[in-house]
């Protein structure tokens, strides 16, 4: 059984415990709360109800969590094998070390963020022989030699995500794939990977200047990664890692959504544009089976790493 949550809002621990009991099951193997405001205490309560058989947990972009979440996982999830914790406190060096000491040998799928060379060496030393997928995006400190040494220890590795790792060249990736022919190296990105925040700056002769800020989670993405996805757009310029568009705000929003970006608008946006964005979201939600309609309800879970492996 899998549970996938998009929004979680519980005012107190009594409510959290009630929610955890309602959305738990002895047969539960996968839990995703990525991008939610879940707290350490809430996670502890929830995992105490469902963690015994849990194999996969998704905590990416959970900004309210601290290193205490690591203890919640270790104390309640004895058979955990897939951890997706990028852009959360569980991805910090101290937490990584604690997880590796606790359950490292059984980890098959690991998703981190901004890892240091020391972190990577520790990961592959403990998990390397069993790792099937590894995600280490935004790891500026990792160079090609470091990566090659690390990957040699991961004999079962099938997928490696190294997007936004500036020291890893395309040539190095090609050489790596020649050495490990069954390895899929993820370096490319698509609009669906990003959210873009739109805000109006000023009016010019009936047109607006729209600021576009692209990000993954809370992290602003350099324009060099976005420009190839946008192509040539009349009226578009770049200033301080932000894109500026001079024209109709609706055109900007519609264009970005047509490419697949997740578009968010500011409080100063036109009412008709907000309605247009809401209608677009409603249409998308109506097409997704099992999607939540109220806060805290579960959605259909994306195919898990374990399910993908069973198809092989």
């Amino acid at each position: 059984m899998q549970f996938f949550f998009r929004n979680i809002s519980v005012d107190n621990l009594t409510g959290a415990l009630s929610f955890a009991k309602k959305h738990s099951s002895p047969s539960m193997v996968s839990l995703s709360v990525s991008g939610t405001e879940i707290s350490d205490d809430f996670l502890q309560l929830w995992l105490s109800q469902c963690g015994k058989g849990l194999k996969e947990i998704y905590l990416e972009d959970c900004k309210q969590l601290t290193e205490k979440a690591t203890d919640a996982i270790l104390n309640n999830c004895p058979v955990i094998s897939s951890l997706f914790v990028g852009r959360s406190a569980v991805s910090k060096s101290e937490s990584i070390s604690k997880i590796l000491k606790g359950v490292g040998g059984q980890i098959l799928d690991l998703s981190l963020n901004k890892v240091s060379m020391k972190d990577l060496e520790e990961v592959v030393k403990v998990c390397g022989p069993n790792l099937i997928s590894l995600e280490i995006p935004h790891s500026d400190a990792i160079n090609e030699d470091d990566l090659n040494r690390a990957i040699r220890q991961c004999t079962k590795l099938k997928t490696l995500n190294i997007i936004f790792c500036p020291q890893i060249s395309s040539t190095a990736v090609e050489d790596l794939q020649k050495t490990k022919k069954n390895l899929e190296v993820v370096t490319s990105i698509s609009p669906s990977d990003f959210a873009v925040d739109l805000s109006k700056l000023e009016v010019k002769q009936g047109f607006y200047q729209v600021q576009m800020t692209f990000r993954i989670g809370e992290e602003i993405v350099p324009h060099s990664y976005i420009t190839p996805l946008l192509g040539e757009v009349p009226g578009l310029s770049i200033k301080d890692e932000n894109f500026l568009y001079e024209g109709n705000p609706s055109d900007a929003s519609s264009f970005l959504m047509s490419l697949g970006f997740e578009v968010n608008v500011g409080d100063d946006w036109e009412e008709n544009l907000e309605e247009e964005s809401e209608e677009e979201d409603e249409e998308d939600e109506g097409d997704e089976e099992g999607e939540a309609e109220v806060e805290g309800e579960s959605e259909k879970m994306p195919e898990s790493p374990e399910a993908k492996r069973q198809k092989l």
Side-chain angles (χ1 to χ4, degrees):
M1 182 176 291
Q2 303 169 330
F3 281 89
F4 175 38
F5 292 82
R6 183 176 58 186
N7 287 313
I8 293 177
S9 178
V10 178
D11 295 332
N12 54 61
L13 291 182
T14 301
L17 182 58
S18 175
F19 184 92
K21 289 180 177 179
K22 179 181 177 182
H23 296 283
S24 298
S25 166
S27 60
M28 190 170 174
V29 297
S30 185
L31 173 66
S32 174
V33 291
S34 293
T36 68
E37 298 297 313
I38 191 169
S39 67
D40 293 328
D41 291 335
F42 190 171
L43 183 65
Q44 167 62 37
L45 282 172
W46 204 346
L47 294 183
S48 71
Q49 298 295 312
C50 69
K52 189 174 181 180
L54 206 63
K55 294 182 179 180
E56 304 166 1
I57 187 166
Y58 297 75
L59 299 174
E60 295 166 309
D61 294 306
C62 291
K63 303 300 182 183
Q64 299 302 315
L65 294 180
T66 70
E67 288 82 355
K68 291 181 180 179
T70 306
D71 293 325
I73 296 170
L74 293 175
N75 293 336
N76 296 285
C77 306
V79 297
I80 197 75
S81 61
S82 298
L83 274 174
F84 297 82
V85 294
R87 300 179 299 279
S88 75
V90 187
S91 187
K92 293 182 178 179
S93 295
E94 298 81 2
S95 295
I96 293 172
S97 295
K98 188 178 288 188
I99 287 173
L100 293 178
K101 290 176 182 178
V103 295
Q106 66 195 44
I107 296 297
L108 305 179
D109 309 285
L110 186 60
S111 175
L112 304 172
N113 186 63
K114 286 187 175 180
V115 301
S116 66
M117 189 55 223
K118 180 181 178 181
D119 292 336
L120 182 58
E121 287 176 344
E122 193 169 0
V123 165
V124 298
K125 180 180 179 180
V126 178
C127 307
N130 294 320
L131 268 183
I132 293 175
S133 71
L134 176 63
E135 299 182 7
I136 51 171
H138 297 280
S139 297
D140 298 349
I142 305 298
N143 61 41
E144 295 170 0
D145 291 336
D146 295 335
L147 184 66
N148 283 321
R149 281 196 302 272
I151 298 307
R152 280 198 292 269
Q153 301 179 58
C154 303
T155 55
K156 297 180 181 178
L157 196 65
K158 303 246 185 230
T159 305
L160 174 66
N161 183 326
I162 50 172
I163 64 171
F164 304 124
C165 292
Q167 294 198 63
I168 312 299
S169 68
S170 57
T171 301
V173 171
E174 291 174 1
D175 292 341
L176 182 60
Q177 289 179 309
K178 289 177 182 178
T179 305
K180 297 181 72 70
K181 297 187 182 299
N182 294 325
L183 178 64
E184 177 189 3
V185 183
V186 181
T187 58
S188 61
I189 51 179
S190 66
S192 61
D193 296 322
F194 302 94
V196 53
D197 300 324
L198 303 185
S199 58
K200 292 190 303 183
L201 296 182
E202 59 183 285
V203 178
K204 290 187 176 181
Q205 299 178 351
F207 287 90
Y208 300 95
Q209 190 174 59
V210 180
Q211 178 174 285
M212 306 175 181
T213 303
F214 293 84
R215 56 183 173 79
I216 292 181
E218 299 299 321
E219 187 162 356
I220 295 177
V221 178
H223 65 79
S224 57
Y225 291 106
I226 301 298
T227 301
L229 301 176
L230 296 177
E232 294 292 330
V233 181
L236 192 65
S237 58
I238 299 172
K239 182 180 180 181
D240 299 329
E241 296 299 346
N242 292 313
F243 288 83
L244 295 178
Y245 172 73
E246 293 188 9
N248 191 311
S250 289
D251 291 342
S253 177
S254 297
F255 171 69
L256 291 169
M257 286 191 290
S258 71
L259 292 178
F261 290 100
E262 175 191 331
V263 175
N264 302 303
V265 297
D267 295 335
D268 60 350
W269 209 248
E270 292 179 323
E271 182 177 352
N272 64 340
L273 183 56
E274 291 180 348
E275 292 175 353
E276 174 186 332
S277 178
E278 290 171 2
E279 290 172 2
E280 191 85 24
D281 290 341
E282 288 173 3
E283 290 176 3
D284 291 341
E285 290 174 1
D287 292 336
E288 295 180 7
E289 181 181 354
E291 185 172 18
E293 294 182 359
V294 296
E295 210 169 41
E297 286 296 322
S298 62
E299 299 178 349
K300 185 178 179 181
M301 185 73 178
E303 188 173 33
S304 68
E306 185 174 1
K308 291 179 181 178
R309 287 195 287 273
Q310 290 175 352
K311 291 182 178 180
L312 298 177

